[in-house]
Amino acid sequence: MAGDEQDRRARFEALAAGLVEPLRRYLARRTDPATADDVLSETLLVCWRRLEEVPEEPLPWAYAVARHALANAERSARRQRRVAGRVAALDPPAAVTADEPEVDVPLDEALAALRAEDAELLRLWAWEQLGPSEIAAVLGLTPNAVSIRLHRARGRLREELRKIGSPAGHEGSRGRSRS
Amino acid sequence: MSEPFDGQLDDDPRLRERLRAVDPAASLAPADPDRVARLLEATMSSTDHETETETETSGRTPRRAPFAWIAAAAAVLVLGGVAVAVTTTGDGDGERTPTAGGGGTDAPAVLTLAAPAAQEARCMVPTADVLAGQEVAFLGTVEEVADDTVVLAVDEQYAGTEADEVRVESPAEQMQLLVGAVDFRDGEQYLVSATDGRVTVCGFSGPATGELQTLYAEAFGG
């Protein structure tokens, strides 16, 4: 018994070693530091309890756990909800080092103009750097659906950027003449 | 049906780079190793009783959604047990125009959902607040009811990535429960919500009438 327990602990520690930093970043991008801490604990707890179910590719699974734990946390603090994305984007977490993220106001505005689902797809793609099948695992969708929606979300973001007058992406080379 | 067409759709690395440049976590300092060690220790020594009563021992339930346990947390109604007593503000302005599809060249977006896991006999009291937290919610017309599939054409979408068509696919047994709970019939209009890719029942999905309409209007109208 003791040996089993030791073994389980060792497996969890090995797993957690690879999850903590990505999860911290994931949460720092989406909520305030206090909630991020809470949700990180909650997420690790789920990983520990459900260690036997953690798939071979643990990170998307763990993101999905964190995503749901975060949704629960925000449901109980609903008022924060709308603000969370922006807080994360505009107000870097306290524990930052030298490199401040760039300020790109048009991009913030364009992202804010998107539907929440589209913006989240784009974050998972660009910030977590996940591929469609990984995003699918996080969101509980099929990879094909993710590919299609991601494609559309990128199109919508480009469109918003064009509206704002700050075109981007592969059509952006002609500069900012459009309105 | 296996490979998503990653490579064929544009990847737009420039857009990705631009997004990455504003990543709010890019400058997040790594966690203090001592704190992480303490956190892991606290995690492993936590007693296991808070959230769930579901046994960890059986691997019996096939393809259980990873988060089914969350849905089971607030026990109250019995599946199929019915009528929602919700006080209403009912101004019925839940009408929201579905966002127009941006790229007209795309194939119709199909969203695939599953029936709720069969073991979930209990569920939450339907409230607008909980409903508003559902990942997918839409008004749809049933186009097909088969043993293991229900196909709905989306008439209006209130939450979730937009789709033109929703297919609910599950093994016949689970589907039977769902069809029984929601009473899906060909040609009728339904309000349907889902989370974790599974249709939520227990008063959250059903024929688009009276109380349910009010509930949806309350959840998504403002």
Side-chain angles (χ1 to χ4, degrees):
Chain A
M1 276 319 207
D4 283 357
E5 182 61 19
Q6 276 309 110
D7 179 54
R8 196 169 189 275
R9 290 173 63 98
R11 274 191 291 140
F12 175 72
E13 282 174 334
L15 172 74
L19 295 181
V20 168
E21 287 303 324
L23 285 172
R24 284 180 71 241
R25 286 195 295 274
Y26 175 92
L27 293 167
R29 287 162 183 144
R30 288 167 178 81
T31 189
D32 61 276
T35 310
D37 276 353
D38 289 350
V39 174
L40 176 63
S41 304
E42 177 68 27
T43 304
L44 289 172
L45 198 55
V46 172
C47 293
W48 167 244
R49 286 177 177 160
R50 304 172 77 85
L51 190 56
E52 288 68 28
E53 298 170 36
V54 176
E56 204 169 312
E57 190 71 54
L59 193 52
W61 185 90
Y63 282 145
V65 174
R67 176 165 175 270
H68 286 266
L70 182 59
N72 281 349
E74 288 183 341
R75 235 163 255 149
S76 41
R78 178 168 290 283
R79 285 174 54 215
Q80 290 185 346
R81 189 175 186 154
R82 296 237 171 100
V83 200
R86 296 187 132 212
V87 169
L90 300 178
D91 195 15
V96 294
T97 51
D99 313 316
E100 297 289 321
E102 281 176 34
V103 177
D104 186 342
V105 175
L107 183 59
D108 284 342
E109 285 177 13
L111 273 174
L114 293 184
R115 292 153 50 95
E117 296 80 7
D118 286 345
E120 183 59 15
L121 274 173
L122 292 169
R123 286 188 207 104
L124 290 167
W125 168 64
W127 290 353
E128 272 76 31
Q129 302 195 64
L130 302 180
S133 36
E134 294 165 316
I135 295 175
V138 177
L139 299 180
L141 300 169
T142 67
N144 268 318
V146 169
S147 293
I148 293 168
R149 291 169 196 195
L150 193 52
H151 174 67
R152 290 182 171 181
R154 281 191 295 255
R156 290 189 184 120
L157 182 61
R158 283 193 296 266
E159 182 57 33
E160 289 297 334
L161 286 167
R162 264 194 298 275
K163 280 194 223 161
I164 295 168
S166 177
H170 55 201
E171 299 176 24
S173 55
R174 284 186 297 118
R176 49 194 66 219
S177 55
R178 303 229 222 151
S179 60
Chain B
M1 292 286 110
S2 54
E3 272 303 293
F5 32 109
D6 299 22
Q8 292 158 41
L9 295 176
D10 68 336
D11 190 55
D12 203 340
R14 292 184 56 184
L15 191 64
R16 196 180 198 174
E17 276 316 301
R18 186 166 172 185
L19 280 161
R20 282 188 57 70
V22 300
D23 178 358
S27 53
L28 186 71
D32 172 7
D34 288 347
R35 267 195 76 208
V36 173
R38 282 199 301 277
L39 176 60
L40 297 188
E41 189 50 50
T43 302
M44 291 184 290
S45 44
S46 77
T47 46
D48 207 14
H49 294 304
E50 297 146 38
T51 10
E52 199 16 23
T53 54
E54 192 174 299
T55 62
E56 283 191 44
T57 49
S58 78
R60 231 181 293 143
T61 322
R63 302 198 316 147
R64 183 177 54 206
F67 307 101
W69 59 275
I70 291 176
V76 174
L77 288 188
V78 173
L79 187 143
V82 203
V84 190
V86 184
T87 50
T88 67
T89 56
D91 57 8
D93 68 353
E95 307 263 315
R96 204 190 280 179
T97 319
T99 322
T105 55
D106 291 325
V110 178
L111 171 63
T112 304
L113 300 173
Q119 95 255 18
E120 274 166 58
R122 302 169 305 170
C123 44
M124 292 183 256
V125 186
T127 63
D129 216 27
V130 174
L131 180 59
Q134 298 289 308
E135 287 162 13
V136 175
F138 65 93
L139 173 70
T141 304
V142 171
E143 292 190 327
E144 186 191 330
V145 182
D147 282 350
D148 54 1
T149 313
V150 173
V151 181
L152 297 107
V154 177
D155 301 317
E156 285 187 51
Q157 187 137 8
Y158 310 111
T161 314
E162 64 181 269
D164 305 303
E165 187 183 277
V166 173
R167 301 179 67 85
V168 184
E169 296 178 344
S170 273
E173 187 189 316
Q174 284 177 27
M175 186 56 80
Q176 222 172 6
L177 285 174
L178 176 67
V179 170
V182 177
D183 197 23
F184 280 125
R185 290 176 201 198
D186 207 343
E188 305 273 11
Q189 223 178 17
Y190 292 84
L191 288 159
V192 178
S193 62
T195 279
D196 298 333
R198 288 176 185 273
V199 173
T200 42
V201 287
C202 303
F204 285 107
S205 298
T209 54
E211 281 171 330
L212 196 60
Q213 281 177 324
T214 309
L215 190 67
Y216 271 69
E218 211 179 330
F220 303 108

